Amino acid sequence: MHTADLLVVKIGGSLFSDKRLDRHLDPAAVRRYARIAAALHRAAPGRVVLVSGGGAYGHGAVRGLDPSEPFAALALTGANAELRWAWTVALREAGVAAFPVQFAAAAVLGPEGDARLSGEAVARLLAAGVLPVLSGDCLPDRSGRLHVVGSDLVPGALAALAPGATRIVMLTDVDGVMDGETVIPRLTPDGADAGLRALWEAPRWDTTGGMAGKLTAALEHSRKGAECVILHGARIGADPTFLLAPFEEWPRGVPRTVVAAQPPVSKTAG
């Protein structure tokens, strides 16, 4: 099979919880997407990482933070630990070895505030054939103040794990970046104005900026060489392994927005 060197699957919180609530979870949806991640892991062991959106857990933990309190974001670590464990249990029930990784234990903030992997924890899990499960977290700067790093930003740090092509699949509850009723098929870091203009304002309960935050993160990942795909999670059928394949091999009728600086991943040896 032709694949990217690394596939990061980010499952948006809206697909498995009601983000307007605190700690709401749809167990059936978690099991469905866990089966999808498990199938991808079996198809490309050692090349797949799962990143969970915060959903009601993450958004609930960071709403109304006191900016004068350096440790205010600490609640996010506890909330998302519960969420990662729910995914880990569902993945093990789906038949794969999965391990929840706290992002703050595997990454640090760079001098410009960007998250960077530190150490070999995630790479070692992949090498052992284990599916890592990550989420957003809060990371300390050099002064000890905690900064929220949302789940849309986590894949950018993970791209450092792959020596070649990284594909970041962002599953959400819409078909991609929409311009009215039309999906914008492709955006590049230097040509994203149309996509950004088309975005709507995120609701107040969404602490990550909705699609605008997702697209901004995807554009940043693409500047670093990753290929990002934004698509509706409901479009994933019984066989999700097409997510590993070149786009010309994808099933028809799967709309998406590709965000990449270079042409999409094609016939890369897998």
Side-chain angles (χ1 to χ4, degrees):
M1 175 180 287
H2 303 289
T3 71
D5 294 303
L6 180 72
L7 176 68
V8 181
V9 181
K10 191 268 178 175
I11 303 175
S14 60
L15 294 174
F16 59 83
S17 72
D18 186 338
K19 293 190 287 187
R20 297 170 296 182
L21 307 177
D22 289 341
R23 281 178 161 76
H24 173 267
L25 199 65
D26 181 344
V30 171
R31 289 193 295 270
R32 176 179 184 268
Y33 287 103
R35 288 193 295 269
I36 288 172
L40 291 166
H41 171 74
R42 281 190 286 267
R47 293 188 176 187
V48 179
V49 179
L50 174 63
V51 177
S52 172
Y57 284 75
H59 288 265
V62 300
R63 273 194 292 266
L65 293 182
D66 181 356
S68 67
E69 170 52 56
F71 246 56
L74 183 61
L76 179 62
T77 293
N80 277 358
E82 295 179 37
L83 189 55
R84 290 193 303 274
W85 183 247
W87 283 109
T88 302
V89 170
L91 286 161
R92 289 181 63 82
E93 291 175 350
V96 302
F99 188 85
V101 179
Q102 183 186 353
F103 190 57
V108 295
L109 290 178
E112 298 181 1
D114 55 321
R116 302 177 180 182
L117 285 188
S118 174
E120 301 179 3
V122 180
R124 182 171 294 183
L125 289 170
L126 290 172
V130 177
L131 176 60
V133 181
L134 292 95
S135 64
D137 206 344
C138 54
L139 273 66
D141 60 20
R142 291 187 179 277
S143 72
R145 171 178 285 274
L146 296 179
H147 297 261
V148 173
V149 179
S151 56
D152 285 329
L153 300 175
V154 172
L158 298 174
L161 294 167
T166 297
R167 175 177 287 175
I168 299 169
V169 173
M170 296 175 146
L171 300 181
T172 184
D173 59 356
V174 292
D175 281 332
V177 180
M178 308 296 295
D179 186 359
E181 299 297 319
T182 303
V183 178
I184 300 175
R186 183 173 175 84
L187 292 167
T188 66
D190 297 326
D193 289 348
L196 292 169
R197 286 196 303 268
L199 298 178
W200 56 91
E201 184 177 353
R204 291 184 177 180
W205 45 262
D206 191 319
T207 62
T208 57
M211 181 57 77
K214 193 178 306 298
L215 177 56
T216 299
L219 290 168
E220 184 59 31
H221 303 333
S222 71
R223 291 186 185 98
K224 297 177 181 178
E227 172 189 84
C228 300
V229 191
I230 303 172
L231 72 156
H232 203 310
R235 300 286 187 178
I236 311 300
D239 182 4
T241 55
F242 71 88
L243 295 174
L244 291 156
F247 290 124
E248 59 265 26
E249 297 178 12
W250 279 34
R252 294 184 179 181
V254 181
R256 69 270 183 177
T257 298
V258 177
V259 183
Q262 302 296 329
V265 171
S266 188
K267 302 291 185 178
T268 304

